[in-house]
Coordinates of all heavy atoms in Angstrom, one line a residue:
S231 N 1.3 11.2 -12.3 CA 1.3 12.3 -11.5 C 2.0 13.5 -11.9 O 1.8 14.6 -11.3 CB 1.7 11.8 -10.1 OG 3.1 11.5 -10.1
E232 N 2.9 13.4 -12.8 CA 3.8 14.6 -13.2 C 3.5 15.2 -14.6 O 3.9 16.4 -14.7 CB 5.3 14.2 -13.1 CG 5.7 13.8 -11.7 CD 7.1 13.4 -11.4 OE1 7.9 13.4 -12.6 OE2 7.5 12.9 -10.4
R233 N 2.9 14.5 -15.5 CA 2.6 15.0 -16.8 C 1.4 15.8 -16.8 O 0.4 15.5 -16.0 CB 2.5 13.7 -17.8 CG 3.8 12.9 -17.9 CD 5.0 13.6 -18.2 NE 6.0 12.6 -18.4 CZ 7.1 12.3 -17.5 NH1 7.2 12.9 -16.4 NH2 8.0 11.4 -17.9
S234 N 1.3 16.7 -17.8 CA 0.1 17.6 -17.9 C -1.0 16.8 -18.5 O -0.8 15.5 -19.1 CB 0.5 18.8 -18.9 OG 0.5 18.3 -20.2
V235 N -2.1 17.3 -18.3 CA -3.3 16.7 -18.8 C -3.4 16.3 -20.3 O -3.7 15.2 -20.8 CB -4.7 17.3 -18.3 CG1 -5.9 16.8 -18.9 CG2 -4.9 17.4 -16.8
P236 N -3.2 17.5 -21.2 CA -3.1 17.2 -22.5 C -2.0 16.2 -23.0 O -2.3 15.4 -23.9 CB -2.9 18.6 -23.2 CG -3.3 19.5 -22.1 CD -2.9 18.8 -20.8
H237 N -0.9 16.1 -22.3 CA 0.1 15.2 -22.7 C -0.4 13.8 -22.3 O -0.2 12.9 -23.2 CB 1.3 15.6 -21.9 CG 2.4 14.6 -22.0 ND1 3.5 14.8 -23.0 CD2 2.8 13.5 -21.3 CE1 4.3 13.8 -23.0 NE2 4.0 12.9 -22.0
L238 N -1.0 13.5 -21.2 CA -1.4 12.3 -20.8 C -2.5 11.7 -21.7 O -2.5 10.6 -22.0 CB -1.8 12.3 -19.3 CG -0.8 12.2 -18.3 CD1 -1.3 12.4 -16.9 CD2 0.0 10.8 -18.4
Q239 N -3.4 12.5 -22.1 CA -4.5 12.3 -23.0 C -3.8 11.6 -24.4 O -4.3 10.6 -24.8 CB -5.4 13.5 -23.4 CG -6.3 13.8 -22.2 CD -7.0 15.2 -22.5 OE1 -6.6 15.9 -23.3 NE2 -8.0 15.4 -21.5
K240 N -2.8 12.3 -24.9 CA -2.1 11.7 -26.0 C -1.4 10.5 -25.7 O -1.2 9.6 -26.6 CB -1.1 12.8 -26.6 CG -1.9 14.1 -27.2 CD -1.0 15.1 -27.8 CE -1.7 16.1 -28.6 NZ -2.7 16.9 -27.7
V241 N -0.7 10.4 -24.5 CA 0.1 9.2 -24.1 C -1.1 8.1 -24.0 O -0.6 7.0 -24.6 CB 0.7 9.4 -22.7 CG1 1.1 8.1 -22.2 CG2 1.9 10.4 -22.8
F242 N -2.2 8.1 -23.6 CA -3.1 7.1 -23.3 C -3.5 6.5 -24.9 O -3.6 5.3 -25.2 CB -4.3 7.4 -22.8 CG -4.2 7.8 -21.3 CD1 -5.0 8.7 -20.5 CD2 -3.1 7.4 -20.6 CE1 -4.8 8.9 -19.2 CE2 -2.8 7.7 -19.3 CZ -3.5 8.6 -18.6
E243 N -3.5 7.5 -25.9 CA -3.9 7.1 -27.2 C -2.6 6.3 -27.8 O -2.8 5.2 -28.5 CB -4.2 8.4 -28.2 CG -5.7 8.8 -27.9 CD -6.6 7.8 -28.4 OE1 -6.5 7.2 -29.5 OE2 -7.6 7.5 -27.7
R244 N -1.5 6.9 -27.7 CA -0.2 6.3 -28.1 C -0.1 4.9 -27.5 O 0.4 3.9 -28.1 CB 0.9 7.2 -27.8 CG 2.3 6.7 -28.4 CD 2.1 6.7 -30.0 NE 3.4 6.2 -30.5 CZ 3.5 5.9 -31.8 NH1 2.6 6.2 -32.8 NH2 4.8 5.5 -32.3
Y245 N -0.4 4.8 -26.1 CA -0.3 3.5 -25.4 C -0.9 2.3 -26.2 O -0.3 1.3 -26.2 CB -0.8 3.7 -24.2 CG -0.9 2.4 -23.2 CD1 0.5 2.2 -22.5 CD2 -1.9 1.5 -23.0 CE1 0.5 1.1 -21.6 CE2 -1.7 0.4 -22.2 CZ -0.5 0.2 -21.5 OH -0.5 -0.9 -20.7
K246 N -1.9 2.6 -26.9 CA -2.6 1.5 -27.6 C -1.8 0.8 -28.8 O -2.0 -0.2 -29.2 CB -4.0 2.0 -28.2 CG -4.9 2.4 -27.1 CD -6.2 3.1 -27.9 CE -7.1 3.7 -26.9 NZ -8.1 4.4 -27.5
R247 N -0.8 1.6 -29.2 CA 0.2 1.2 -30.2 C 1.1 0.1 -29.7 O 1.6 -0.7 -30.5 CB 0.9 2.2 -30.8 CG 0.1 3.4 -31.5 CD -0.4 2.8 -32.9 NE 0.6 2.4 -33.8 CZ 1.2 3.4 -34.6 NH1 0.8 4.7 -34.6 NH2 2.1 2.9 -35.4
Y248 N 1.4 0.1 -28.3 CA 2.3 -0.8 -27.7 C 1.5 -2.0 -27.0 O 2.0 -3.1 -27.1 CB 3.2 -0.2 -26.8 CG 4.1 0.8 -27.3 CD1 3.8 2.2 -27.3 CD2 5.3 0.4 -27.9 CE1 4.7 3.1 -27.9 CE2 6.2 1.3 -28.5 CZ 5.9 2.6 -28.6 OH 6.8 3.5 -29.1
S249 N 0.4 -1.7 -26.4 CA -0.3 -2.7 -25.6 C -1.4 -3.2 -26.2 O -2.1 -2.6 -27.0 CB -0.7 -2.0 -24.2 OG -1.4 -3.0 -23.5
P250 N -1.8 -4.6 -26.0 CA -3.1 -5.1 -26.6 C -4.2 -4.8 -25.8 O -5.4 -4.8 -26.2 CB -2.9 -6.6 -26.5 CG -1.8 -6.8 -25.2 CD -1.0 -5.6 -25.3
Y251 N -4.0 -3.9 -24.6 CA -5.1 -3.5 -23.9 C -5.0 -2.0 -23.8 O -4.0 -1.4 -23.8 CB -5.0 -4.1 -22.4 CG -4.7 -5.5 -22.3 CD1 -3.5 -5.9 -22.0 CD2 -5.6 -6.5 -22.7 CE1 -3.2 -7.3 -21.9 CE2 -5.4 -7.9 -22.6 CZ -4.0 -8.1 -22.3 OH -3.9 -9.6 -22.3
D252 N -6.2 -1.2 -23.6 CA -6.0 0.1 -23.5 C -5.6 0.5 -22.0 O -5.5 -0.5 -21.3 CB -7.4 0.8 -23.7 CG -8.6 0.5 -22.8 OD1 -8.4 0.0 -21.7 OD2 -9.7 0.7 -23.2
I253 N -5.5 1.6 -21.6 CA -4.9 2.0 -20.4 C -5.8 1.5 -19.1 O -5.2 1.0 -18.2 CB -4.6 3.5 -20.3 CG1 -3.7 3.8 -19.0 CG2 -5.8 4.3 -20.1 CD1 -2.3 3.3 -19.1
K254 N -7.1 1.7 -19.2 CA -7.9 1.2 -18.2 C -8.0 -0.3 -18.0 O -7.8 -0.9 -16.9 CB -9.4 1.6 -18.5 CG -9.7 3.1 -18.3 CD -11.2 3.3 -18.6 CE -11.5 4.9 -18.5 NZ -12.9 5.1 -18.8
E255 N -8.0 -1.1 -19.2 CA -7.7 -2.5 -19.1 C -6.4 -2.9 -18.3 O -6.3 -3.9 -17.6 CB -7.9 -3.3 -20.4 CG -9.3 -3.1 -21.0 CD -9.3 -3.6 -22.5 OE1 -8.5 -3.0 -23.3 OE2 -10.0 -4.5 -22.8
S256 N -5.5 -2.2 -18.7 CA -4.0 -2.5 -18.2 C -4.0 -2.2 -16.7 O -3.5 -3.0 -15.9 CB -3.0 -1.6 -18.8 OG -2.9 -1.8 -20.3
I257 N -4.7 -1.2 -16.4 CA -4.7 -0.9 -14.8 C -5.4 -2.0 -14.1 O -4.9 -2.5 -13.1 CB -5.4 0.5 -14.6 CG1 -4.6 1.6 -15.0 CG2 -5.8 0.6 -13.0 CD1 -5.4 2.9 -15.1
R258 N -6.6 -2.5 -14.6 CA -7.3 -3.5 -14.0 C -6.5 -4.8 -13.9 O -6.6 -5.7 -13.0 CB -8.6 -3.7 -14.8 CG -9.6 -2.6 -14.6 CD -10.9 -3.1 -15.3 NE -11.8 -1.9 -15.2 CZ -12.0 -1.0 -16.3 NH1 -11.6 -1.5 -17.5 NH2 -12.8 0.0 -16.3
K259 N -5.6 -5.0 -14.9 CA -4.8 -6.2 -14.9 C -3.6 -6.1 -14.0 O -3.1 -7.1 -13.4 CB -4.3 -6.5 -16.3 CG -5.5 -7.1 -17.2 CD -4.9 -7.3 -18.7 CE -6.0 -7.9 -19.6 NZ -6.4 -9.3 -19.1
E260 N -3.0 -5.0 -13.8 CA -1.8 -4.8 -13.2 C -1.8 -4.4 -11.7 O -1.0 -4.7 -10.9 CB -1.0 -3.7 -14.0 CG -0.6 -4.0 -15.3 CD 0.3 -5.3 -15.3 OE1 1.3 -5.4 -14.6 OE2 0.0 -6.2 -16.2
V261 N -3.0 -3.7 -11.3 CA -3.1 -3.3 -9.9 C -4.5 -3.6 -9.3 O -5.3 -3.7 -10.1 CB -2.7 -1.9 -9.8 CG1 -1.2 -1.6 -9.9 CG2 -3.5 -0.9 -10.6
K262 N -4.5 -3.7 -8.0 CA -5.7 -4.2 -7.4 C -6.1 -3.2 -6.3 O -5.2 -2.4 -5.8 CB -5.7 -5.5 -6.8 CG -5.5 -6.6 -8.0 CD -6.6 -6.6 -9.0 CE -6.3 -7.6 -10.1 NZ -7.3 -7.3 -11.3
G263 N -7.2 -3.3 -5.7 CA -7.6 -2.6 -4.4 C -7.7 -1.0 -4.7 O -8.1 -0.6 -5.7
D264 N -7.3 -0.3 -3.6 CA -7.2 1.1 -3.5 C -6.5 1.8 -4.7 O -6.9 2.8 -5.3 CB -6.8 1.7 -2.3 CG -7.8 1.3 -1.1 OD1 -9.0 1.2 -1.4 OD2 -7.3 1.1 0.0
L265 N -5.4 1.2 -5.0 CA -4.6 1.8 -6.1 C -5.2 1.5 -7.4 O -5.2 2.6 -8.2 CB -3.2 1.0 -6.1 CG -2.2 1.4 -7.1 CD1 -1.9 2.9 -7.0 CD2 -0.9 0.7 -7.0
E266 N -5.9 0.5 -7.7 CA -6.6 0.3 -8.9 C -7.7 1.4 -9.1 O -7.9 2.1 -10.2 CB -7.2 -1.0 -9.0 CG -8.1 -1.3 -10.3 CD -8.9 -2.6 -10.1 OE1 -8.7 -3.3 -9.0 OE2 -9.6 -2.8 -11.1
K267 N -8.5 1.6 -8.0 CA -9.6 2.5 -8.0 C -9.0 4.1 -8.2 O -9.7 4.8 -9.0 CB -10.4 2.5 -6.8 CG -11.1 1.2 -6.6 CD -11.7 1.2 -5.1 CE -12.4 -0.3 -4.9 NZ -12.7 -0.4 -3.5
S268 N -7.9 4.2 -7.5 CA -7.5 5.7 -7.7 C -6.9 5.9 -9.2 O -7.3 7.0 -9.7 CB -6.3 5.8 -6.8 OG -6.6 5.6 -5.4
F269 N -6.2 4.9 -9.8 CA -5.8 5.1 -11.1 C -6.8 5.2 -12.1 O -7.0 6.1 -12.9 CB -4.9 3.9 -11.4 CG -3.4 4.0 -11.3 CD1 -2.8 3.0 -10.5 CD2 -2.7 5.1 -11.7 CE1 -1.4 3.1 -10.3 CE2 -1.4 5.1 -11.4 CZ -0.7 4.3 -10.9
L270 N -7.8 4.4 -11.9 CA -9.1 4.4 -12.8 C -9.8 5.8 -12.6 O -10.3 6.3 -13.6 CB -10.0 3.2 -12.4 CG -9.5 1.8 -13.0 CD1 -10.5 0.8 -12.4 CD2 -9.3 1.8 -14.5

Side-chain angles (χ1 to χ4, degrees):
S231 64
E232 294 173 11
R233 305 297 190 259
S234 72
V235 173
H237 178 86
L238 280 172
Q239 288 169 342
K240 290 180 174 64
V241 168
F242 296 157
E243 277 301 310
R244 184 66 181 172
Y245 180 83
K246 296 173 189 174
R247 298 286 300 272
Y248 291 102
S249 173
Y251 316 107
D252 67 22
I253 194 67
K254 286 184 186 175
E255 290 173 304
S256 297
I257 289 167
R258 292 186 187 102
K259 286 178 177 294
E260 294 298 312
V261 290
K262 300 298 175 189
D264 295 326
L265 180 55
E266 176 190 4
K267 291 172 189 172
S268 299
F269 269 129
L270 288 173

